[in-house]
Amino acid sequence: MKLNIIKRLSGVAIFCFLPGYVLANMSVYPMEVGIGETGAAQIRVISQSDAVQFVKVTEKQILNPGTKQEQEADVEQFGQSSLVITPQKLAISAGSQRLVRLVALELPEKETTWRVYFEGVPELEDNVAAASPQMTTTKVGINLVWGALVHVAPKKAVASLTLDAQRGQVINDGTLRIPLREVGVCDQGGVCNWKKETTTIYPGTELKIASLMVMPGKKYKARYFNWLKKRVEEIDLSVKL
């Protein structure tokens, strides 16, 4: 049985109560990583144990991220995964560390988001199959699963937001996620009233932002963090009447 103790779109830690397991004394860094134009990134798995640890690595794609409809999907649903992880099975010596490589076979049309899980297991499946049958004792322990968040950049980065006047929704109709920092309501002279906003809008999704309401004679802007360029940028919002 798994208990998800942190439920939000970020790195997560999950405790599992399973027979025969012990606490996986390891850490994962970073817990959030972006795959840019190079198509590759790395995550470090660090042992904090006095014994050899075995780790299984799996991946799931996050659909409708940052919305109420957010869910994780097994990569088998899409056939061959566009995100390749190597290795997927690790044996980590006491006090050492291993690198796990993430490779995007092809950059997507729109940014995609994934969760990569690192789970401590009693022994790797290959080793279990090679070992002779043994009597086992029933022992209930705690296993810790780390879930790192992975963002894969689009082929062409386009930052674009549209404010739907009828529904009051802000739509990301670009290809890049928009981590907002501020939103501004501006007059015709270009003077803006800025308000802090920290939500993130992913490509193909929409959210309601209370401080953005369509009013006659007003224009709308947003400041967001461009994770590919590592800087805050400003864009104009188009209005859909």
Side-chain angles (χ1 to χ4, degrees), residues 13-25:
I14 301 172
F15 286 103
C16 304
F17 295 88
L18 297 171
Y21 277 59
V22 295
L23 179 63
N25 193 8

Side-chain angles (χ1 to χ4, degrees), residues 20-226:
Y21 277 59
V22 295
L23 179 63
N25 193 8
M26 65 178 179
S27 59
V28 173
Y29 179 83
M31 286 294 286
E32 185 171 2
V33 63
I35 298 178
E37 296 178 352
T38 62
Q42 293 179 337
I43 294 180
R44 193 179 304 273
V45 184
I46 306 166
S47 170
Q48 297 172 339
S49 173
D50 295 329
V52 175
Q53 292 190 89
F54 301 101
V55 180
K56 179 175 68 173
V57 187
T58 56
E59 63 189 294
K60 291 189 177 184
Q61 186 169 357
I62 301 177
L63 307 179
N64 301 310
T67 70
K68 294 180 180 179
Q69 292 75 39
E70 178 184 319
Q71 59 179 314
E72 295 183 358
D74 294 326
V75 294
E76 288 78 7
Q77 297 181 24
F78 307 97
Q80 183 179 3
S81 173
S82 59
L83 180 64
V84 174
I85 301 174
T86 55
Q88 293 185 323
K89 299 175 182 179
L90 305 172
I92 308 177
S93 302
S96 65
Q97 54 185 280
R98 293 283 302 274
L99 286 178
V100 172
R101 185 172 174 81
L102 314 174
V103 179
L105 295 178
E106 184 179 5
L107 294 180
E109 295 299 324
K110 295 182 178 181
E111 180 178 335
T112 56
T113 304
W114 304 73
R115 186 94 65 193
V116 177
Y117 288 102
F118 298 81
E119 179 180 3
V121 294
E123 196 168 1
L124 297 179
E125 294 176 2
D126 296 341
N127 295 343
V128 173
S132 58
Q134 297 179 356
M135 295 297 292
T136 59
T137 58
T138 301
K139 182 175 64 174
V140 177
I142 302 174
N143 190 46
L144 182 62
V145 181
W146 295 98
L149 195 63
V150 179
H151 305 282
V152 181
K155 291 180 181 178
K156 183 179 180 181
V158 177
S160 177
L161 294 177
T162 295
L163 177 57
D164 188 319
Q166 298 297 321
R167 299 183 300 119
Q169 298 283 101
V170 178
I171 306 164
N172 185 336
D173 48 9
T175 64
L176 193 68
R177 81 178 189 272
I178 305 292
L180 291 173
R181 294 294 183 264
E182 292 180 288
V183 293
V185 179
C186 312
D187 60 25
Q188 294 298 322
V191 178
C192 301
N193 179 24
W194 291 96
K195 292 186 178 180
K196 184 177 180 180
E197 183 61 58
T198 57
T199 192
T200 297
I201 309 178
Y202 288 77
T205 69
E206 55 186 56
L207 293 174
K208 188 175 184 63
I209 299 178
S211 56
L212 286 180
M213 297 181 61
V214 174
M215 295 178 288
K218 297 295 183 181
K219 296 182 179 180
Y220 307 90
K221 295 178 180 289
R223 291 172 180 162
Y224 75 101
F225 181 74
N226 186 323

